[in-house]
Amino acid sequence: MAMKLWELAGAEDDRLFSPYCWRVRMMLAHKGLSAGTVPWRFTDKEAIGFSGQGLVPVLLDGEREVHDSWAIAEYLDEAYPQRPLLFADAQAHASALFFRLWCERNLHLAILRLVILDIHSHLHDRDKAYFRESREKRFGKTLEEFAAEPTAALAALRGVLDPVRPVLVQHRYASGAAPGMADYILFGAFQWARVVSPIRLLEPDDPVYAWRERMLDLYDGLARKAKAYAVWT
Ligand SMILES: N[C@@H](CCC(=O)N[C@@H](CS)C(=O)NCC(=O)O)C(=O)O
């Protein structure tokens, strides 16, 4: 039976903007697997009630349900060990875990400050109030206040990327010679922004920019073909 992936969508079914869902899309392509998209909105909690929680991505592989992008990565290697691995060994798993936590705690917040209003404007009408209320509670300020200093936020984002640049100068990918988990995690964050916002996050002479182009080309341009803003290219 074909796999199904519940993915966060905006007003349009094909505006798929979750960084975590994008990781999974890239991971599936890495393993040569595909899954049908089930577009999901923030307030469709009942639709994923079968997973026992309220976040996407949720993967259904036959009878097996797996949620959380990291758990999905582990599941895919366990269920499909004959296909290219996402974690070659325990050392790769540990390094990717560190990279994931670094991204989620630093990069995601830096990008969110720059795109939160664009996210809001692309949401389905039925999600807008939920998104505003839940995020304003989380950040203790209005969305507009959270997004109030874009120039400083852009400088902060470029600073956050400082430890990544030397890696991408020495290596073609964050995972080394070939793309891997670190790349899918990092790229998910950039694709999140690209799908909802025309903002130019990187200058073309930034090594991260060239890497991002390579990521957009992977797997027959999977991410480049997605509904998104094309201002980067
Ligand atoms: N740790 C989870 C995080 C998943 C997550 O935060 N998903 C967001 C979409 S980007 C979500 O479903 N949010 C629902 C909500 O805020 O109600 C993973 O790695 O998959």
Side-chain angles (χ1 to χ4, degrees), residues 149-168:
E149 292 182 49
T151 308
L154 188 59
L157 168 66
R158 291 176 180 174
V160 162
L161 291 167
D162 280 349
V164 175
R165 282 192 192 90
V167 180
L168 296 176

Side-chain angles (χ1 to χ4, degrees), residues 5-6 9 21 73 75 79 112 116 122-123 125 134 140 177 185 188 217 233:
L5 183 65
W6 277 255
C21 295
Y75 166 75
L112 189 58
I116 198 162
H122 279 92
L123 292 177
D125 281 345
S134 58
I185 290 166
D217 288 338
T233 52

Side-chain angles (χ1 to χ4, degrees), residues 63-174:
E63 298 287 294
R64 177 72 187 267
E65 174 276 320
V66 195
H67 58 268
D68 185 278
S69 58
W70 189 257
I72 292 172
E74 293 176 336
Y75 166 75
L76 291 175
D77 271 2
E78 179 199 306
Y80 301 96
Q82 73 284 13
R83 289 172 177 264
L85 292 172
L86 292 160
F87 304 112
D89 52 26
Q91 192 183 341
H93 184 278
S95 306
L97 180 57
F98 173 80
F99 197 81
R100 170 196 149 194
L101 296 172
W102 173 82
C103 265
E104 291 174 8
R105 290 176 192 183
N106 300 282
L107 184 66
H108 280 201
L109 196 62
I111 291 183
L112 189 58
R113 298 188 93 84
L114 291 157
V115 303
I116 198 162
L117 295 177
D118 290 325
I119 292 177
H120 186 260
S121 73
H122 279 92
L123 292 177
H124 196 287
D125 281 345
R126 69 175 186 263
D127 272 1
K128 287 194 175 184
Y130 167 82
F131 182 80
R132 177 174 285 280
E133 205 176 302
S134 58
R135 272 48 184 181
E136 291 188 349
K137 190 167 171 204
R138 183 183 298 173
F139 298 119
K141 47 180 83 168
T142 64
L143 300 187
E144 289 72 16
E145 283 163 354
F146 185 72
E149 292 182 49
T151 308
L154 188 59
L157 168 66
R158 291 176 180 174
V160 162
L161 291 167
D162 280 349
V164 175
R165 282 192 192 90
V167 180
L168 296 176
V169 169
Q170 285 192 44
H171 302 274
R172 200 164 159 74
Y173 293 99

Side-chain angles (χ1 to χ4, degrees), residues 8 18-20 23 40 42 45 54-57 68-69 130 135:
L8 183 62
S18 158
Y20 303 101
R23 279 181 200 179
W40 180 87
F42 283 110
K45 298 294 182 200
L55 307 177
V56 291
D68 185 278
S69 58
Y130 167 82
R135 272 48 184 181

